[in-house]
Amino acid sequence: MSRQDAPPIYLDHAATTPVDPEVFATMKPYFTEHYGNPASIHTVGQKAIIAVDEAREQVADFLGCKTGEIIFTSGATESNNFVLKGVLAAAKIQKPHIITSTIEHPCILDTCQHLEKRGVEVTYLPVDKEGVLNTKSVQEAIKENTVLVTIIYANNEIGTIQPIAEIGEIIKKANQERKNKIIFHTDAVQAIQYLDCNVKKLGVDLLSLSGHKFYGPKGVGVLFVKEGTLIEKIQHGGHQEYNKRAGTLNVPGIVGLGKATELTSKNRVADSKKQQKLRDLLINSILKNIPDSHLNGSNKHRLPNNANIRFDKIEGESIMLHLDFEGIAVSTGSACTSGTLEPSHVLLAIGVAKEQAHGSIRFTLGKDTSEADIKKVLEVLPPIVKKLRQMSPLK
Amino acid sequence: MDHFRDPHNMGSIKDPDGVGEVGNPSCGDIMKLYIKVGKNEAGKEKISDISFETMGCAAAIATSSMITDMALGKTLAEAIEITNQNIAEKLDGLPPTKMHCSNLAADALKKAIADYKSKNK
Ligand SMILES: Cc1ncc(COP(=O)(O)O)c(C=O)c1O
Ligand code: FES
C-alpha cells in the first residue's frame, strides 16, 4: 500500500539494518560451496572452521579481546539470556542479587522477571528525565549477595548512552574488597556502530552484540566472556564454542557478522558524524516547525542516529501508518513491543506521561540515509500531524 | 484502510443535538461523536448529521469514520443497534487485538443518542 515507484525511506535502523552487499558477498560461498560443519576434521569441514576463526579474530580485534573470549550465539536475545541464567547457575550463594536498570531491552527485563519468580533478587535502577543512570545509584545498590550488574550501553528506543566505563570502575573498586566478585555485563547491541566497544576500556566481563543491527545478518550474535568469568552454559549438547554453547555453528552468519564488525570499525567515525548532522537537522526542524512536539531523552548523551519525538494529543501509531503510506518507515517504540497496547516502559521510566508516550515516534537513521530522505520527512510530517490533531477531541 | 487515510465526517458539529464521549481505559484513547437529529418522511427521528473526533490508533480512526457513514440517515432505533461486530465486518475485519477499538465507536454512538434523548424528554 506504500508508494510502489520509489524505494522506501527507511528510518528504522534500530529495529534492523539491511545486510551490507560486501557482507553478503562474503557470506555467500558458505551456503552452497563451503557448507562443511566446522566441527568436522576433514577438508570440507576445515574450510568452514578457518572462516569461523577469521570471523572470531575480526570480532576480537574489534572488542580488544582474545579470540578465546568470543562466543557466537543466535543473537543478542540468546546472549542476554545466557548472561542472566548462566551467571546465576554458576553463583554459589543462597539468594543471589542482580542489579539492572528500568530501561533495558525486554530480553533482559523479561528474563529478570522470570528469575525473580524463582527467588532471585533484582534491583531495577531508575534513570533521570534524560534516561541516564546515576552511577552513584549503582554503587549504593551493591549488596553482599550481588553477583551481576547488567546495564544497557545505549538504549534502543531513545538512544541514551550510559556511562559504562564509569560503572566498570565502580565495580572494579567494589570487587577489590569482595570474595564473591561482581560480574559486569553490558548490552552493546545499539552502541556497536557508534561507540567505543573496547572491553578493557569499558571494564566489562560480558558484552552482547547482534549481527543484524550493524549491517550483518539476523539470527547471529556474540557474547564476549572475559577469561575466568564464572558463567555456566545454558544450552547443552556438543562441545562447540569452548564448551560454553552447544550447537552447530551458523557459519555463513558468523562470517557475515565478522565482516560487518570490520566494516563498522572502518567507517564508525565518518558514519557517526554524517548521521548526527542529518539527525540534528531532523530534530531541530521538527521541534521548530511542529508545535507541541518534544524530544524524548537526552540531547547530549544520545546515539548519533536516534531521534525520538513525541507529539501531544495524537497517537504515534496513526503518524507511523500515515508516514508508511508516504513510503517512510519509522516506529512507535521498539519493534518487539509494537504488538502491545502498553506504552513504552522506557518512556514511562523517563517520566513521560502515559498519553504522551502513546504519541511518540522513533526515527533511527542509517549509513545510507541522505539529506533528501530527511527533507522528505520534513515535508510530509507537518501536514500529517496537523490532520490528526484536527481529528483529535483533545484541543 | 481508506477510512483511516481519508476519514469521512471528521470534526465537530456546531450546536449538536447529542454528544457521546468515550475513553478506552486499556490504551488511553478518546473518541467523541456529535449528532444532529431530524425527522424522516414517516416522522421518525433520524440522524441527519454526524461527525467524529478521535485520538486513537488507526483502527479507532477507521471505525469512527465507518460508523458515521453507517449511522447517517438511520433512525435512532436503527442506529442504536449498530454493534462493533457490524463495524468490523464493514471494514472487512479487524485483528483480534484491535476489536476493542471498535467498541469505542459503537459506545460513543449509543452515548450520543442517549444524550439527545435525555435532553429531549
Ligand atoms: C538493545 C537490544 N538488545 C537486544 C536485542 C535483541 O537482539 P536480537 O534481535 O539479536 O535477539 C535488541 C534488538 O532487538 C536490542 O535493541
Ligand atoms: S489501541 Fe486505542 S483505540 Fe485502538
Side-chain angles (χ1 to χ4, degrees), chain A residues 14-15 74-80 104-108 152-157 187-191 208-213 218-221 334-336 362:
Chain A
S74 66
T77 298
E78 181 193 329
S79 297
N80 289 348
E104 299 298 310
H105 189 269
C107 61
I108 291 282
I152 192 168
Y153 194 173
N155 181 266
N156 49 309
E157 291 186 36
D187 173 347
V189 167
Q190 297 288 342
S208 308
L209 292 179
S210 174
H212 72 103
K213 307 286 183 172
K218 297 172 180 60
V220 60
S334 64
C336 7
R362 176 185 74 180

Side-chain angles (χ1 to χ4, degrees), chain A residues 309-325:
Chain A
I309 295 177
R310 65 179 195 275
F311 301 91
D312 292 344
K313 303 190 168 60
I314 48 178
E315 269 278 341
E317 192 202 75
S318 298
I319 305 172
M320 185 258 286
L321 285 170
H322 276 293
L323 285 173
D324 192 39
F325 289 134

Side-chain angles (χ1 to χ4, degrees), chain A residues 90-112:
Chain A
K92 302 220 161 31
I93 53 173
Q94 270 292 312
K95 193 180 166 79
H97 172 232
I98 294 174
I99 299 171
T100 187
S101 81
T102 49
I103 62 165
E104 299 298 310
H105 189 269
C107 61
I108 291 282
L109 289 180
D110 192 46
T111 311
C112 280

Side-chain angles (χ1 to χ4, degrees), chain A residues 46 117 292:
Chain A
Q46 289 309 298
K117 283 188 215 138
D292 299 316

Side-chain angles (χ1 to χ4, degrees), chain A residues 183-195:
Chain A
I183 294 170
F184 182 32
H185 167 252
T186 191
D187 173 347
V189 167
Q190 297 288 342
I192 173 162
Q193 285 184 70
Y194 308 102
L195 307 176

